[in-house]
Amino acid sequence: AQTVTQSQPEMSVQEAETVTLSCTYDTSESNYYLFWYKQPPSRQMILVIRQEAYKQQNATENRFSVNFQKAAKSFSLKISDSQLGDTAMYFCAYTNTGNQFYFGTGTSLTVIP
Amino acid sequence: ETGVTQTPRHLVMGMTNKKSLKCEQHLGHNAMYWYKQSAKKPLELMFVYNFKEQTENNSVPSRFSPECPNSSHLFLHLHTLQPEDSALYLCASSQDQVGPSGNTIYFGEGSWLTVV
């Protein structure tokens, strides 16, 4: 069964610093997709970044990048130059096909001014 | 704007009321979802519809009744709810296809439900 684990319930980072959020997953599939979603206090779930497992190159979106380690089944999110607006709950998610998605329990990130 | 619209955004209802949550997606997706998110709890998948057919019902109490008249619309009918049903209800959609936006789930802004 597919599972997604986020082992850091809460994290904090100083403004302008870099922070890394961890995510591991379990699957027997060879091709799948991984995601990070951001849920700010407004509670809208926003897609931050998407990674296709068959692509070896790590995805990047501006200040957000991932470290995708397929063999280790690890998918961490790095936020560079943290901003106050990055304060949110971050969810790691997995899907292979068939419109089935699996979410981690989330990491609450606080950016400290 | 994610292409998934939920109404109402906030709803307060008594335990004997009947109300409905509505979701509409403008993304041409073939799957739609209802999730429940309570305070300090993980996302809970409630229902999944693929091509208007219900493919998942995660042991949800019958006081929650979904309806999917077409691939673009999804409803959650509510009746005789309990105070513990107060939560954020998130609608989402996705498309099972190859491509830059395929196999990605997109969420609406959520409907805050308070049962009094």
Side-chain angles (χ1 to χ4, degrees), chain A residues 33 35 37 39 43-45 47 50 91 95-101 103 105, chain B residues 30-31 33 35 37 50 94 96 99-100 102-105 107-109 112:
Chain A
Y33 302 82
F35 311 87
Y37 285 86
Q39 189 179 39
R43 305 304 291 272
Q44 166 105 57
M45 289 277 279
L47 176 66
R50 176 179 183 269
F91 291 93
T95 188
N96 53 343
T97 56
N99 289 318
Q100 287 190 309
F101 292 83
F103 287 84
T105 51
Chain B
N30 61 356
Y33 310 74
Y35 284 87
Q37 190 177 33
N50 272 292
S94 70
D96 184 9
N103 293 291
T104 303
I105 191 167
F107 288 86
E109 293 176 296
W112 283 98

PDB file of all heavy atoms in Angstrom, chain A residues 33 35 37 39 43-45 47 50 91 95-101 103 105, chain B residues 30-31 33 35 37 50 94 96 99-100 102-105 107-109 112:
ATOM      1  N   TYR A  33       3.953  10.236  -9.425  1.00  0.00           N
ATOM      2  CA  TYR A  33       4.098  11.683  -9.309  1.00  0.00           C
ATOM      3  C   TYR A  33       4.107  12.055  -7.830  1.00  0.00           C
ATOM      4  O   TYR A  33       3.369  11.471  -7.021  1.00  0.00           O
ATOM      5  CB  TYR A  33       2.930  12.398  -9.984  1.00  0.00           C
ATOM      6  CG  TYR A  33       2.766  12.054 -11.452  1.00  0.00           C
ATOM      7  CD1 TYR A  33       2.110  10.889 -11.830  1.00  0.00           C
ATOM      8  CD2 TYR A  33       3.273  12.882 -12.441  1.00  0.00           C
ATOM      9  CE1 TYR A  33       1.968  10.554 -13.167  1.00  0.00           C
ATOM     10  CE2 TYR A  33       3.127  12.564 -13.774  1.00  0.00           C
ATOM     11  CZ  TYR A  33       2.478  11.397 -14.137  1.00  0.00           C
ATOM     12  OH  TYR A  33       2.336  11.076 -15.456  1.00  0.00           O
ATOM     13  N   PHE A  35       4.173  15.529  -5.055  1.00  0.00           N
ATOM     14  CA  PHE A  35       3.771  16.927  -4.979  1.00  0.00           C
ATOM     15  C   PHE A  35       4.046  17.489  -3.586  1.00  0.00           C
ATOM     16  O   PHE A  35       4.074  16.763  -2.598  1.00  0.00           O
ATOM     17  CB  PHE A  35       2.243  17.071  -5.197  1.00  0.00           C
ATOM     18  CG  PHE A  35       1.709  16.341  -6.386  1.00  0.00           C
ATOM     19  CD1 PHE A  35       1.334  15.011  -6.274  1.00  0.00           C
ATOM     20  CD2 PHE A  35       1.571  16.972  -7.602  1.00  0.00           C
ATOM     21  CE1 PHE A  35       0.833  14.317  -7.365  1.00  0.00           C
ATOM     22  CE2 PHE A  35       1.061  16.295  -8.696  1.00  0.00           C
ATOM     23  CZ  PHE A  35       0.697  14.962  -8.574  1.00  0.00           C
ATOM     24  N   TYR A  37       2.091  20.590  -1.479  1.00  0.00           N
ATOM     25  CA  TYR A  37       1.013  21.566  -1.438  1.00  0.00           C
ATOM     26  C   TYR A  37       1.210  22.451  -0.222  1.00  0.00           C
ATOM     27  O   TYR A  37       1.661  22.003   0.830  1.00  0.00           O
ATOM     28  CB  TYR A  37      -0.357  20.873  -1.327  1.00  0.00           C
ATOM     29  CG  TYR A  37      -0.816  20.233  -2.608  1.00  0.00           C
ATOM     30  CD1 TYR A  37      -0.425  18.950  -2.954  1.00  0.00           C
ATOM     31  CD2 TYR A  37      -1.648  20.921  -3.487  1.00  0.00           C
ATOM     32  CE1 TYR A  37      -0.849  18.358  -4.135  1.00  0.00           C
ATOM     33  CE2 TYR A  37      -2.078  20.344  -4.677  1.00  0.00           C
ATOM     34  CZ  TYR A  37      -1.669  19.064  -4.990  1.00  0.00           C
ATOM     35  OH  TYR A  37      -2.086  18.491  -6.157  1.00  0.00           O
ATOM     36  N   GLN A  39      -0.793  25.068   2.402  1.00  0.00           N
ATOM     37  CA  GLN A  39      -2.104  25.495   2.899  1.00  0.00           C
ATOM     38  C   GLN A  39      -1.898  26.617   3.902  1.00  0.00           C
ATOM     39  O   GLN A  39      -1.629  26.381   5.076  1.00  0.00           O
ATOM     40  CB  GLN A  39      -2.860  24.321   3.535  1.00  0.00           C
ATOM     41  CG  GLN A  39      -4.311  24.681   3.857  1.00  0.00           C
ATOM     42  CD  GLN A  39      -5.081  23.525   4.455  1.00  0.00           C
ATOM     43  OE1 GLN A  39      -4.538  22.770   5.263  1.00  0.00           O
ATOM     44  NE2 GLN A  39      -6.343  23.381   4.100  1.00  0.00           N
ATOM     45  N   ARG A  43      -6.547  28.556   4.273  1.00  0.00           N
ATOM     46  CA  ARG A  43      -6.897  27.150   4.100  1.00  0.00           C
ATOM     47  C   ARG A  43      -7.040  26.714   2.641  1.00  0.00           C
ATOM     48  O   ARG A  43      -7.434  25.583   2.381  1.00  0.00           O
ATOM     49  CB  ARG A  43      -8.171  26.786   4.881  1.00  0.00           C
ATOM     50  CG  ARG A  43      -8.103  27.112   6.358  1.00  0.00           C
ATOM     51  CD  ARG A  43      -6.933  26.483   7.069  1.00  0.00           C
ATOM     52  NE  ARG A  43      -7.031  25.053   7.192  1.00  0.00           N
ATOM     53  CZ  ARG A  43      -7.643  24.426   8.203  1.00  0.00           C
ATOM     54  NH1 ARG A  43      -8.222  25.121   9.141  1.00  0.00           N
ATOM     55  NH2 ARG A  43      -7.671  23.110   8.246  1.00  0.00           N
ATOM     56  N   GLN A  44      -6.735  27.557   1.681  1.00  0.00           N
ATOM     57  CA  GLN A  44      -6.713  27.115   0.288  1.00  0.00           C
ATOM     58  C   GLN A  44      -5.498  26.236   0.067  1.00  0.00           C
ATOM     59  O   GLN A  44      -4.380  26.603   0.410  1.00  0.00           O
ATOM     60  CB  GLN A  44      -6.639  28.335  -0.635  1.00  0.00           C
ATOM     61  CG  GLN A  44      -6.282  28.002  -2.072  1.00  0.00           C
ATOM     62  CD  GLN A  44      -7.449  28.065  -3.017  1.00  0.00           C
ATOM     63  OE1 GLN A  44      -8.087  29.102  -3.101  1.00  0.00           O
ATOM     64  NE2 GLN A  44      -7.739  26.989  -3.716  1.00  0.00           N
ATOM     65  N   MET A  45      -5.694  25.071  -0.492  1.00  0.00           N
ATOM     66  CA  MET A  45      -4.591  24.154  -0.806  1.00  0.00           C
ATOM     67  C   MET A  45      -4.010  24.537  -2.159  1.00  0.00           C
ATOM     68  O   MET A  45      -4.684  24.441  -3.181  1.00  0.00           O
ATOM     69  CB  MET A  45      -5.112  22.712  -0.858  1.00  0.00           C
ATOM     70  CG  MET A  45      -5.469  22.164   0.488  1.00  0.00           C
ATOM     71  SD  MET A  45      -4.057  21.540   1.371  1.00  0.00           S
ATOM     72  CE  MET A  45      -3.899  19.938   0.623  1.00  0.00           C
ATOM     73  N   LEU A  47      -0.951  24.176  -5.024  1.00  0.00           N
ATOM     74  CA  LEU A  47       0.137  23.348  -5.529  1.00  0.00           C
ATOM     75  C   LEU A  47       1.417  24.174  -5.563  1.00  0.00           C
ATOM     76  O   LEU A  47       1.462  25.247  -6.165  1.00  0.00           O
ATOM     77  CB  LEU A  47      -0.198  22.838  -6.928  1.00  0.00           C
ATOM     78  CG  LEU A  47       0.885  22.036  -7.631  1.00  0.00           C
ATOM     79  CD1 LEU A  47       1.138  20.715  -6.910  1.00  0.00           C
ATOM     80  CD2 LEU A  47       0.502  21.776  -9.086  1.00  0.00           C
ATOM     81  N   ARG A  50       5.698  20.002  -8.414  1.00  0.00           N
ATOM     82  CA  ARG A  50       5.295  18.680  -8.900  1.00  0.00           C
ATOM     83  C   ARG A  50       6.520  18.000  -9.487  1.00  0.00           C
ATOM     84  O   ARG A  50       7.300  18.623 -10.216  1.00  0.00           O
ATOM     85  CB  ARG A  50       4.225  18.859  -9.960  1.00  0.00           C
ATOM     86  CG  ARG A  50       3.729  17.617 -10.673  1.00  0.00           C
ATOM     87  CD  ARG A  50       2.642  18.046 -11.657  1.00  0.00           C
ATOM     88  NE  ARG A  50       2.030  16.953 -12.370  1.00  0.00           N
ATOM     89  CZ  ARG A  50       2.450  16.502 -13.541  1.00  0.00           C
ATOM     90  NH1 ARG A  50       3.506  17.027 -14.126  1.00  0.00           N
ATOM     91  NH2 ARG A  50       1.815  15.506 -14.145  1.00  0.00           N
ATOM     92  N   PHE A  91       1.910  20.013   2.764  1.00  0.00           N
ATOM     93  CA  PHE A  91       1.555  18.610   2.609  1.00  0.00           C
ATOM     94  C   PHE A  91       2.318  18.001   1.442  1.00  0.00           C
ATOM     95  O   PHE A  91       2.361  18.566   0.351  1.00  0.00           O
ATOM     96  CB  PHE A  91       0.055  18.448   2.334  1.00  0.00           C
ATOM     97  CG  PHE A  91      -0.823  18.795   3.501  1.00  0.00           C
ATOM     98  CD1 PHE A  91      -1.338  20.071   3.637  1.00  0.00           C
ATOM     99  CD2 PHE A  91      -1.124  17.851   4.467  1.00  0.00           C
ATOM    100  CE1 PHE A  91      -2.149  20.404   4.712  1.00  0.00           C
ATOM    101  CE2 PHE A  91      -1.945  18.177   5.543  1.00  0.00           C
ATOM    102  CZ  PHE A  91      -2.448  19.460   5.666  1.00  0.00           C
ATOM    103  N   THR A  95       0.844  10.174  -6.173  1.00  0.00           N
ATOM    104  CA  THR A  95      -0.119   9.445  -6.976  1.00  0.00           C
ATOM    105  C   THR A  95       0.636   8.670  -8.050  1.00  0.00           C
ATOM    106  O   THR A  95       1.731   9.070  -8.448  1.00  0.00           O
ATOM    107  CB  THR A  95      -1.151  10.383  -7.634  1.00  0.00           C
ATOM    108  OG1 THR A  95      -2.178   9.601  -8.252  1.00  0.00           O
ATOM    109  CG2 THR A  95      -0.507  11.239  -8.713  1.00  0.00           C
ATOM    110  N   ASN A  96       0.084   7.535  -8.475  1.00  0.00           N
ATOM    111  CA  ASN A  96       0.642   6.920  -9.670  1.00  0.00           C
ATOM    112  C   ASN A  96      -0.342   7.129 -10.817  1.00  0.00           C
ATOM    113  O   ASN A  96      -0.137   7.967 -11.673  1.00  0.00           O
ATOM    114  CB  ASN A  96       1.037   5.453  -9.468  1.00  0.00           C
ATOM    115  CG  ASN A  96      -0.086   4.609  -8.895  1.00  0.00           C
ATOM    116  OD1 ASN A  96      -1.052   5.122  -8.362  1.00  0.00           O
ATOM    117  ND2 ASN A  96       0.041   3.318  -9.012  1.00  0.00           N
ATOM    118  N   THR A  97      -1.415   6.432 -10.847  1.00  0.00           N
ATOM    119  CA  THR A  97      -2.445   6.677 -11.860  1.00  0.00           C
ATOM    120  C   THR A  97      -3.794   6.386 -11.230  1.00  0.00           C
ATOM    121  O   THR A  97      -3.869   6.002 -10.067  1.00  0.00           O
ATOM    122  CB  THR A  97      -2.276   5.758 -13.098  1.00  0.00           C
ATOM    123  OG1 THR A  97      -2.287   4.412 -12.654  1.00  0.00           O
ATOM    124  CG2 THR A  97      -0.985   6.049 -13.830  1.00  0.00           C
ATOM    125  N   GLY A  98      -4.824   6.559 -12.007  1.00  0.00           N
ATOM    126  CA  GLY A  98      -6.142   6.181 -11.521  1.00  0.00           C
ATOM    127  C   GLY A  98      -6.775   7.167 -10.572  1.00  0.00           C
ATOM    128  O   GLY A  98      -7.724   6.834  -9.874  1.00  0.00           O
ATOM    129  N   ASN A  99      -6.235   8.386 -10.560  1.00  0.00           N
ATOM    130  CA  ASN A  99      -6.859   9.417  -9.733  1.00  0.00           C
ATOM    131  C   ASN A  99      -6.916   9.031  -8.260  1.00  0.00           C
ATOM    132  O   ASN A  99      -7.890   9.329  -7.562  1.00  0.00           O
ATOM    133  CB  ASN A  99      -8.263   9.761 -10.254  1.00  0.00           C
ATOM    134  CG  ASN A  99      -8.221  10.522 -11.562  1.00  0.00           C
ATOM    135  OD1 ASN A  99      -7.393  11.415 -11.735  1.00  0.00           O
ATOM    136  ND2 ASN A  99      -9.093  10.168 -12.480  1.00  0.00           N
ATOM    137  N   GLN A 100      -5.892   8.343  -7.772  1.00  0.00           N
ATOM    138  CA  GLN A 100      -5.790   8.056  -6.339  1.00  0.00           C
ATOM    139  C   GLN A 100      -4.602   8.823  -5.781  1.00  0.00           C
ATOM    140  O   GLN A 100      -3.473   8.640  -6.242  1.00  0.00           O
ATOM    141  CB  GLN A 100      -5.590   6.562  -6.108  1.00  0.00           C
ATOM    142  CG  GLN A 100      -6.845   5.752  -6.361  1.00  0.00           C
ATOM    143  CD  GLN A 100      -6.701   4.325  -5.909  1.00  0.00           C
ATOM    144  OE1 GLN A 100      -5.740   3.660  -6.272  1.00  0.00           O
ATOM    145  NE2 GLN A 100      -7.634   3.843  -5.115  1.00  0.00           N
ATOM    146  N   PHE A 101      -4.883   9.641  -4.786  1.00  0.00           N
ATOM    147  CA  PHE A 101      -3.851  10.487  -4.197  1.00  0.00           C
ATOM    148  C   PHE A 101      -3.694  10.144  -2.718  1.00  0.00           C
ATOM    149  O   PHE A 101      -4.681   9.873  -2.024  1.00  0.00           O
ATOM    150  CB  PHE A 101      -4.220  11.968  -4.343  1.00  0.00           C
ATOM    151  CG  PHE A 101      -4.196  12.436  -5.767  1.00  0.00           C
ATOM    152  CD1 PHE A 101      -5.292  12.231  -6.597  1.00  0.00           C
ATOM    153  CD2 PHE A 101      -3.080  13.056  -6.288  1.00  0.00           C
ATOM    154  CE1 PHE A 101      -5.263  12.647  -7.920  1.00  0.00           C
ATOM    155  CE2 PHE A 101      -3.044  13.481  -7.610  1.00  0.00           C
ATOM    156  CZ  PHE A 101      -4.135  13.274  -8.421  1.00  0.00           C
ATOM    157  N   PHE A 103      -1.870  11.572   0.860  1.00  0.00           N
ATOM    158  CA  PHE A 103      -1.301  12.763   1.483  1.00  0.00           C
ATOM    159  C   PHE A 103      -0.608  12.410   2.795  1.00  0.00           C
ATOM    160  O   PHE A 103      -1.058  11.529   3.537  1.00  0.00           O
ATOM    161  CB  PHE A 103      -2.387  13.798   1.770  1.00  0.00           C
ATOM    162  CG  PHE A 103      -2.895  14.482   0.532  1.00  0.00           C
ATOM    163  CD1 PHE A 103      -3.888  13.912  -0.239  1.00  0.00           C
ATOM    164  CD2 PHE A 103      -2.365  15.698   0.140  1.00  0.00           C
ATOM    165  CE1 PHE A 103      -4.348  14.538  -1.399  1.00  0.00           C
ATOM    166  CE2 PHE A 103      -2.822  16.335  -1.003  1.00  0.00           C
ATOM    167  CZ  PHE A 103      -3.816  15.757  -1.771  1.00  0.00           C
ATOM    168  N   THR A 105       0.665  13.825   6.654  1.00  0.00           N
ATOM    169  CA  THR A 105      -0.071  14.485   7.733  1.00  0.00           C
ATOM    170  C   THR A 105       0.256  15.962   7.864  1.00  0.00           C
ATOM    171  O   THR A 105      -0.368  16.670   8.639  1.00  0.00           O
ATOM    172  CB  THR A 105       0.199  13.802   9.072  1.00  0.00           C
ATOM    173  OG1 THR A 105       1.612  13.688   9.245  1.00  0.00           O
ATOM    174  CG2 THR A 105      -0.430  12.411   9.112  1.00  0.00           C
TER     175      THR A 105
ATOM    176  N   ASN B  30     -11.787  14.623 -15.171  1.00  0.00           N
ATOM    177  CA  ASN B  30     -12.742  13.516 -15.131  1.00  0.00           C
ATOM    178  C   ASN B  30     -12.973  12.943 -13.740  1.00  0.00           C
ATOM    179  O   ASN B  30     -13.773  12.031 -13.565  1.00  0.00           O
ATOM    180  CB  ASN B  30     -12.307  12.397 -16.088  1.00  0.00           C
ATOM    181  CG  ASN B  30     -10.955  11.812 -15.717  1.00  0.00           C
ATOM    182  OD1 ASN B  30     -10.291  12.282 -14.796  1.00  0.00           O
ATOM    183  ND2 ASN B  30     -10.559  10.775 -16.423  1.00  0.00           N
ATOM    184  N   ALA B  31     -12.270  13.461 -12.757  1.00  0.00           N
ATOM    185  CA  ALA B  31     -12.453  12.960 -11.388  1.00  0.00           C
ATOM    186  C   ALA B  31     -12.679  14.124 -10.432  1.00  0.00           C
ATOM    187  O   ALA B  31     -12.069  15.188 -10.581  1.00  0.00           O
ATOM    188  CB  ALA B  31     -11.230  12.163 -10.939  1.00  0.00           C
ATOM    189  N   TYR B  33     -13.520  15.038  -6.047  1.00  0.00           N
ATOM    190  CA  TYR B  33     -13.326  14.499  -4.709  1.00  0.00           C
ATOM    191  C   TYR B  33     -13.950  15.401  -3.648  1.00  0.00           C
ATOM    192  O   TYR B  33     -14.003  16.618  -3.821  1.00  0.00           O
ATOM    193  CB  TYR B  33     -11.817  14.447  -4.368  1.00  0.00           C
ATOM    194  CG  TYR B  33     -10.926  13.803  -5.390  1.00  0.00           C
ATOM    195  CD1 TYR B  33     -10.617  14.451  -6.587  1.00  0.00           C
ATOM    196  CD2 TYR B  33     -10.361  12.548  -5.150  1.00  0.00           C
ATOM    197  CE1 TYR B  33      -9.779  13.859  -7.522  1.00  0.00           C
ATOM    198  CE2 TYR B  33      -9.525  11.957  -6.086  1.00  0.00           C
ATOM    199  CZ  TYR B  33      -9.238  12.614  -7.259  1.00  0.00           C
ATOM    200  OH  TYR B  33      -8.401  12.030  -8.185  1.00  0.00           O
ATOM    201  N   TYR B  35     -13.036  16.038   0.397  1.00  0.00           N
ATOM    202  CA  TYR B  35     -12.178  15.787   1.544  1.00  0.00           C
ATOM    203  C   TYR B  35     -12.741  16.539   2.749  1.00  0.00           C
ATOM    204  O   TYR B  35     -13.297  17.626   2.620  1.00  0.00           O
ATOM    205  CB  TYR B  35     -10.755  16.303   1.307  1.00  0.00           C
ATOM    206  CG  TYR B  35      -9.908  15.465   0.394  1.00  0.00           C
ATOM    207  CD1 TYR B  35      -9.935  15.655  -0.982  1.00  0.00           C
ATOM    208  CD2 TYR B  35      -9.045  14.502   0.911  1.00  0.00           C
ATOM    209  CE1 TYR B  35      -9.138  14.903  -1.831  1.00  0.00           C
ATOM    210  CE2 TYR B  35      -8.238  13.742   0.070  1.00  0.00           C
ATOM    211  CZ  TYR B  35      -8.295  13.952  -1.295  1.00  0.00           C
ATOM    212  OH  TYR B  35      -7.499  13.204  -2.124  1.00  0.00           O
ATOM    213  N   GLN B  37     -11.462  18.182   6.402  1.00  0.00           N
ATOM    214  CA  GLN B  37     -10.281  18.560   7.175  1.00  0.00           C
ATOM    215  C   GLN B  37     -10.731  19.184   8.489  1.00  0.00           C
ATOM    216  O   GLN B  37     -11.264  20.284   8.523  1.00  0.00           O
ATOM    217  CB  GLN B  37      -9.409  19.542   6.392  1.00  0.00           C
ATOM    218  CG  GLN B  37      -8.050  19.778   7.036  1.00  0.00           C
ATOM    219  CD  GLN B  37      -7.172  20.684   6.215  1.00  0.00           C
ATOM    220  OE1 GLN B  37      -7.654  21.588   5.545  1.00  0.00           O
ATOM    221  NE2 GLN B  37      -5.863  20.460   6.251  1.00  0.00           N
ATOM    222  N   ASN B  50     -15.252   9.181 -10.533  1.00  0.00           N
ATOM    223  CA  ASN B  50     -14.546   9.119 -11.806  1.00  0.00           C
ATOM    224  C   ASN B  50     -15.600   9.015 -12.900  1.00  0.00           C
ATOM    225  O   ASN B  50     -16.395   8.075 -12.898  1.00  0.00           O
ATOM    226  CB  ASN B  50     -13.630   7.889 -11.875  1.00  0.00           C
ATOM    227  CG  ASN B  50     -12.260   8.158 -11.325  1.00  0.00           C
ATOM    228  OD1 ASN B  50     -11.480   8.909 -11.892  1.00  0.00           O
ATOM    229  ND2 ASN B  50     -11.943   7.541 -10.211  1.00  0.00           N
ATOM    230  N   SER B  94      -9.190  16.197 -10.662  1.00  0.00           N
ATOM    231  CA  SER B  94      -7.951  15.779 -11.310  1.00  0.00           C
ATOM    232  C   SER B  94      -8.274  15.101 -12.628  1.00  0.00           C
ATOM    233  O   SER B  94      -9.429  14.766 -12.921  1.00  0.00           O
ATOM    234  CB  SER B  94      -7.157  14.825 -10.417  1.00  0.00           C
ATOM    235  OG  SER B  94      -7.807  13.571 -10.302  1.00  0.00           O
ATOM    236  N   ASP B  96      -6.688  11.968 -15.089  1.00  0.00           N
ATOM    237  CA  ASP B  96      -5.740  10.867 -15.199  1.00  0.00           C
ATOM    238  C   ASP B  96      -5.193  10.850 -16.615  1.00  0.00           C
ATOM    239  O   ASP B  96      -5.704  10.158 -17.487  1.00  0.00           O
ATOM    240  CB  ASP B  96      -6.463   9.552 -14.866  1.00  0.00           C
ATOM    241  CG  ASP B  96      -5.504   8.369 -14.858  1.00  0.00           C
ATOM    242  OD1 ASP B  96      -4.278   8.585 -14.941  1.00  0.00           O
ATOM    243  OD2 ASP B  96      -5.988   7.227 -14.778  1.00  0.00           O
ATOM    244  N   GLY B  99       0.992  14.438 -19.184  1.00  0.00           N
ATOM    245  CA  GLY B  99       1.114  15.846 -19.541  1.00  0.00           C
ATOM    246  C   GLY B  99       1.455  16.682 -18.337  1.00  0.00           C
ATOM    247  O   GLY B  99       1.422  16.202 -17.209  1.00  0.00           O
ATOM    248  N   PRO B 100       1.769  17.949 -18.541  1.00  0.00           N
ATOM    249  CA  PRO B 100       2.236  18.794 -17.435  1.00  0.00           C
ATOM    250  C   PRO B 100       1.212  19.000 -16.340  1.00  0.00           C
ATOM    251  O   PRO B 100       1.569  19.214 -15.193  1.00  0.00           O
ATOM    252  CB  PRO B 100       2.576  20.132 -18.117  1.00  0.00           C
ATOM    253  CG  PRO B 100       2.142  20.034 -19.517  1.00  0.00           C
ATOM    254  CD  PRO B 100       1.827  18.610 -19.835  1.00  0.00           C
ATOM    255  N   GLY B 102      -1.439  16.768 -15.972  1.00  0.00           N
ATOM    256  CA  GLY B 102      -2.107  15.501 -15.718  1.00  0.00           C
ATOM    257  C   GLY B 102      -1.690  14.912 -14.383  1.00  0.00           C
ATOM    258  O   GLY B 102      -0.635  15.240 -13.840  1.00  0.00           O
ATOM    259  N   ASN B 103      -2.549  14.034 -13.869  1.00  0.00           N
ATOM    260  CA  ASN B 103      -2.256  13.355 -12.613  1.00  0.00           C
ATOM    261  C   ASN B 103      -1.892  14.328 -11.502  1.00  0.00           C
ATOM    262  O   ASN B 103      -0.996  14.076 -10.698  1.00  0.00           O
ATOM    263  CB  ASN B 103      -1.120  12.329 -12.810  1.00  0.00           C
ATOM    264  CG  ASN B 103      -1.548  11.186 -13.706  1.00  0.00           C
ATOM    265  OD1 ASN B 103      -2.377  10.380 -13.335  1.00  0.00           O
ATOM    266  ND2 ASN B 103      -1.009  11.153 -14.907  1.00  0.00           N
ATOM    267  N   THR B 104      -2.579  15.435 -11.478  1.00  0.00           N
ATOM    268  CA  THR B 104      -2.366  16.453 -10.443  1.00  0.00           C
ATOM    269  C   THR B 104      -3.731  16.831  -9.889  1.00  0.00           C
ATOM    270  O   THR B 104      -4.677  17.002 -10.644  1.00  0.00           O
ATOM    271  CB  THR B 104      -1.668  17.691 -11.028  1.00  0.00           C
ATOM    272  OG1 THR B 104      -0.436  17.298 -11.616  1.00  0.00           O
ATOM    273  CG2 THR B 104      -1.417  18.737  -9.944  1.00  0.00           C
ATOM    274  N   ILE B 105      -3.826  16.930  -8.586  1.00  0.00           N
ATOM    275  CA  ILE B 105      -5.102  17.259  -7.954  1.00  0.00           C
ATOM    276  C   ILE B 105      -5.138  18.747  -7.618  1.00  0.00           C
ATOM    277  O   ILE B 105      -4.159  19.298  -7.095  1.00  0.00           O
ATOM    278  CB  ILE B 105      -5.349  16.361  -6.715  1.00  0.00           C
ATOM    279  CG1 ILE B 105      -6.784  16.505  -6.207  1.00  0.00           C
ATOM    280  CG2 ILE B 105      -4.340  16.627  -5.610  1.00  0.00           C
ATOM    281  CD1 ILE B 105      -7.181  15.433  -5.198  1.00  0.00           C
ATOM    282  N   PHE B 107      -7.435  21.879  -5.821  1.00  0.00           N
ATOM    283  CA  PHE B 107      -8.426  22.069  -4.780  1.00  0.00           C
ATOM    284  C   PHE B 107      -9.196  23.374  -4.926  1.00  0.00           C
ATOM    285  O   PHE B 107      -8.665  24.380  -5.417  1.00  0.00           O
ATOM    286  CB  PHE B 107      -7.751  22.084  -3.399  1.00  0.00           C
ATOM    287  CG  PHE B 107      -7.254  20.741  -2.959  1.00  0.00           C
ATOM    288  CD1 PHE B 107      -5.998  20.291  -3.335  1.00  0.00           C
ATOM    289  CD2 PHE B 107      -8.042  19.920  -2.159  1.00  0.00           C
ATOM    290  CE1 PHE B 107      -5.534  19.050  -2.930  1.00  0.00           C
ATOM    291  CE2 PHE B 107      -7.588  18.684  -1.746  1.00  0.00           C
ATOM    292  CZ  PHE B 107      -6.335  18.246  -2.137  1.00  0.00           C
ATOM    293  N   GLY B 108     -10.428  23.351  -4.451  1.00  0.00           N
ATOM    294  CA  GLY B 108     -11.186  24.573  -4.263  1.00  0.00           C
ATOM    295  C   GLY B 108     -10.772  25.261  -2.973  1.00  0.00           C
ATOM    296  O   GLY B 108      -9.892  24.773  -2.249  1.00  0.00           O
ATOM    297  N   GLU B 109     -11.415  26.380  -2.691  1.00  0.00           N
ATOM    298  CA  GLU B 109     -11.050  27.171  -1.513  1.00  0.00           C
ATOM    299  C   GLU B 109     -11.647  26.605  -0.232  1.00  0.00           C
ATOM    300  O   GLU B 109     -11.303  27.055   0.852  1.00  0.00           O
ATOM    301  CB  GLU B 109     -11.487  28.619  -1.707  1.00  0.00           C
ATOM    302  CG  GLU B 109     -10.718  29.332  -2.823  1.00  0.00           C
ATOM    303  CD  GLU B 109     -11.227  30.727  -3.049  1.00  0.00           C
ATOM    304  OE1 GLU B 109     -12.395  30.877  -3.447  1.00  0.00           O
ATOM    305  OE2 GLU B 109     -10.463  31.674  -2.827  1.00  0.00           O
ATOM    306  N   TRP B 112     -16.371  26.161   4.869  1.00  0.00           N
ATOM    307  CA  TRP B 112     -16.313  26.024   6.319  1.00  0.00           C
ATOM    308  C   TRP B 112     -17.711  25.708   6.836  1.00  0.00           C
ATOM    309  O   TRP B 112     -18.642  26.468   6.648  1.00  0.00           O
ATOM    310  CB  TRP B 112     -15.842  27.330   6.965  1.00  0.00           C
ATOM    311  CG  TRP B 112     -14.377  27.568   6.858  1.00  0.00           C
ATOM    312  CD1 TRP B 112     -13.728  28.346   5.954  1.00  0.00           C
ATOM    313  CD2 TRP B 112     -13.373  27.035   7.719  1.00  0.00           C
ATOM    314  NE1 TRP B 112     -12.384  28.328   6.195  1.00  0.00           N
ATOM    315  CE2 TRP B 112     -12.122  27.544   7.274  1.00  0.00           C
ATOM    316  CE3 TRP B 112     -13.391  26.195   8.835  1.00  0.00           C
ATOM    317  CZ2 TRP B 112     -10.927  27.217   7.896  1.00  0.00           C
ATOM    318  CZ3 TRP B 112     -12.194  25.877   9.452  1.00  0.00           C
ATOM    319  CH2 TRP B 112     -10.987  26.392   8.971  1.00  0.00           C
TER     320      TRP B 112
END
